[in-house]
Amino acid sequence: MSGSTSAGGSRSWASTPERSNPLALRLMSWIALHCGRSATRLLLHPITLYFLLFAPTPRRHARRFLDRALGRPATWRDVYRNLHTFTATILDRVYLLGDRSDLFEVSVHDEVLVEQAMADGKGAFLVGAHLGSFEVLRTIGERRSGLRIAMVMYPDNARMINQTLQAIAPDFVPQIIALGRSESMLAVRDWLDGGGLAGILADRALPGESQRGSGVRIDFLGHEAHFSDAPFRLAALLRRKVILMAGLYLGGARYDVHFSALADFSERLADPVQREARVREAVVAYARGLEKLCREQPYNWFNFHDFWGEDEA
């Protein structure tokens, strides 16, 4: 969990160090594996209380989001529930990455979209957000042989996620494609050509993106926010389908995995104006789909940053 950032002015989230550290995550992982999930979950309450009391910036951003998603002023109980849901999904990563999906009840909605993407052999982009758990996708992969997912992210984020995953599950080797390199585009294309799925989180803009005039400003939960169009431009360039994905935590050991179609860039568009319009439509569809999920499961929002850019303003 990090400090202040914004969707519009993402300089903050990209430069602020995470509050979690590998040592604490390794300790949590050891306790989880040796004491079991039920016993370890008892530790979530003091951990949540610590963040509630001593992490004022994430607490402020959580409350701001909850005010808008709930349609009423968020209480301390609401913020606590949001943070507790976050810590619960972090704990569950230990088991999901350790091939213990048998511990969970997972319902999947519209999985046919993924099946179709795999059947045509061209792969697809799974566009998610800091909403719920991305790792719960592994439960689907264990049910379906041949389902391969690579996370596509920028190098700094790739290093952080590698360190985090290694701390939680030392034996797990994540498949990550780092962007921003000369060979990145070819690596993503080859992965998709092999029938793989490319996962990318699109709810945080890149540093300086809004200042360069890129991205799209969209009303989100009643207030205008900046959404990056970079993932969708990449999908358009590679002419792939884009599917919204979210693994929502419902409490206990229950998760709901949702898929919905956002865009299909398979058809080549020679007209640049039409291509720009299609990209914008995809970003708007993403924001609307994300907004719907946030209203349905607001405590699954883990983007504890200045999403609307109001602190900087």
Side-chain angles (χ1 to χ4, degrees):
M1 183 186 299
S2 38
S4 173
T5 90
S6 75
S10 54
R11 168 184 55 81
S12 301
W13 77 258
S15 61
T16 303
E18 297 290 324
R19 294 183 66 91
S20 302
N21 63 75
L23 180 60
L25 290 172
R26 286 193 181 95
L27 176 60
M28 191 70 172
S29 179
W30 186 91
I31 295 172
L33 294 174
H34 287 79
C35 299
R37 184 172 181 270
S38 297
T40 309
R41 279 176 60 85
L42 297 176
L43 296 176
L44 298 182
H45 291 291
I47 293 173
T48 301
L49 185 61
Y50 167 82
F51 279 111
L52 185 68
L53 297 176
F54 300 109
T57 301
R59 184 179 67 231
R60 179 175 72 253
H61 296 319
R63 185 186 293 274
R64 182 180 294 163
F65 164 79
L66 290 169
D67 285 346
R68 295 166 182 179
L70 296 171
R72 59 170 174 78
T75 64
W76 280 87
R77 184 185 295 272
D78 291 318
V79 179
Y80 183 91
R81 183 175 173 183
N82 187 193
L83 296 175
H84 187 272
T85 302
F86 172 66
T87 58
T89 60
I90 294 297
L91 171 62
D92 287 347
R93 283 185 184 181
V94 176
Y95 303 104
L96 290 168
L97 297 176
D99 296 327
R100 290 303 313 274
S101 60
D102 58 293
L103 297 174
F104 304 97
E105 302 173 25
V106 182
S107 300
V108 184
H109 305 272
D110 296 316
E111 189 177 359
V112 64
L113 295 172
V114 176
E115 294 172 350
Q116 291 171 350
M118 293 175 60
D120 65 24
K122 296 182 179 179
F125 283 90
L126 292 182
V127 180
H130 293 79
L131 182 77
S133 170
F134 197 89
E135 286 77 14
V136 76
L137 260 184
R138 287 180 56 79
T139 63
I140 303 174
E142 290 175 6
R143 291 205 315 249
R144 300 185 56 85
S145 61
L147 181 63
R148 300 181 303 120
I149 303 172
M151 287 300 297
V152 180
M153 57 185 65
Y154 281 82
D156 287 345
N157 289 341
R159 281 192 291 271
M160 283 193 294
I161 194 67
N162 261 319
Q163 292 172 0
T164 302
L165 294 178
Q166 284 299 304
I168 293 175
D171 297 329
F172 177 70
V173 180
Q175 181 66 48
I176 295 177
I177 301 175
L179 294 175
R181 299 172 180 172
S182 57
E183 70 276 11
S184 297
M185 189 75 68
L186 292 177
V188 176
R189 185 201 64 186
D190 291 346
W191 179 263
L192 294 170
D193 284 346
L197 300 171
I200 188 167
L201 303 183
D203 58 335
R204 292 184 187 174
L206 300 176
E209 191 173 40
S210 60
Q211 285 76 14
R212 295 192 299 269
S214 54
V216 181
R217 297 199 66 81
I218 304 170
D219 180 85
F220 184 74
L221 296 176
H223 294 74
E224 191 177 73
H226 179 96
F227 284 85
S228 175
D229 58 5
F232 305 93
R233 290 188 180 280
L234 179 61
L237 185 63
L238 296 177
R239 296 168 58 187
R240 311 290 169 155
K241 293 179 180 178
V242 183
I243 301 169
L244 174 63
M245 176 270 170
L248 303 175
Y249 179 61
L250 304 183
R254 296 179 299 125
Y255 281 87
D256 253 3
V257 177
H258 293 262
F259 296 105
S260 60
L262 291 181
D264 186 350
F265 293 108
S266 302
E267 179 186 353
R268 185 178 185 87
L269 297 176
D271 182 0
V273 175
Q274 187 179 6
R275 188 165 56 247
E276 287 295 310
R278 289 284 303 280
V279 168
R280 180 181 174 81
E281 289 172 4
V283 181
V284 172
Y286 169 74
R288 294 285 78 83
L290 184 60
E291 183 179 57
K292 179 176 181 292
L293 293 172
C294 286
R295 291 193 185 279
E296 292 175 354
Q297 295 292 337
Y299 303 107
N300 273 260
W301 177 261
F302 308 144
N303 204 343
F304 301 115
H305 304 289
D306 184 19
F307 188 82
W308 287 271
E310 294 175 339
D311 286 0
E312 292 187 358

